[in-house]
Amino acid sequence: VICGDSEGTENDTRRLTAMLFLSSKDWDADCGGGVTVENGEMLDAIRDRLILIRSDTCSNRQEPWKGMDKAGLEQASCVTVHFVKENK
């Protein structure tokens, strides 16, 4: 996802954020999770989905996990890795 600009991010060394969603194959938008980017677009937490976001130009927010009272839909997770610019 690429959006916005880099104004006001001089002290933030993050350049790329990778988010891998780990959930049941039956997980859907009603169960929560996912990411909303600055333009309001919602990216659902789909099993094994990898989202790459330009951290230096795109603000984003991870949505709360809700789950459901059905087997396999009680919980899910997301692994987030920030790739940063080397400080000199």
Side-chain angles (χ1 to χ4, degrees):
V1 176
I2 301 173
C3 51
D5 60 43
S6 59
E7 184 177 329
T9 62
E10 299 82 24
N11 295 325
D12 189 350
T13 60
R14 293 176 299 164
R15 293 298 175 253
L16 180 69
T17 299
M19 304 173 88
L20 175 63
F21 290 93
L22 308 170
S23 61
S24 159
K25 65 182 170 86
D26 297 323
W27 195 271
D28 62 23
D30 292 336
C31 295
V35 176
T36 300
V37 294
E38 68 184 33
N39 64 3
E41 181 180 358
M42 174 68 176
L43 306 170
D44 294 330
I46 296 173
R47 181 183 187 164
D48 296 334
R49 174 177 269 178
L50 177 65
I51 296 175
L52 300 174
I53 298 174
R54 286 277 312 266
S55 309
D56 57 342
T57 63
C58 188
S59 62
N60 63 85
R61 159 181 88 239
Q62 188 165 355
E63 298 300 329
W65 298 96
K66 299 176 197 169
M68 291 187 156
D69 290 332
K70 289 172 41 181
L73 297 180
E74 301 91 357
Q75 61 184 348
S77 188
C78 176
V79 175
T80 302
V81 177
H82 299 286
F83 297 90
V84 298
K85 176 181 159 186
E86 182 180 356
N87 285 334
K88 294 186 179 193

